[in-house]
Amino acid sequence: MNRAMPGITPRMLTRQLRDLEEDGLVRRTVYQDIPPTTAESSAVTRALGREPMARA
């Protein structure tokens, strides 16, 4: 997503993804066993029928 939205700061991207997670549109998975801690976001089934937020 970061590449699809040039100019977005990491902080703003994180905020947007967390908002989408709260709305139930994105599922966030945190991997703490690989330093540094990494998080992966993916669209949930209910969000897949909606208009794309960004095209990669």
Side-chain angles (χ1 to χ4, degrees), residues 2-3 22 35 41 52:
N2 199 13
R3 284 179 261 148
E22 286 178 14
S41 298

Side-chain angles (χ1 to χ4, degrees), residues 21-42:
E21 180 184 18
E22 286 178 14
D23 293 339
L25 299 174
V26 169
R27 180 175 298 124
R28 185 169 176 259
T29 306
V30 177
Y31 302 99
Q32 295 180 348
D33 57 324
I34 308 169
T37 300
T38 326
E40 175 181 278
S41 298
S42 58

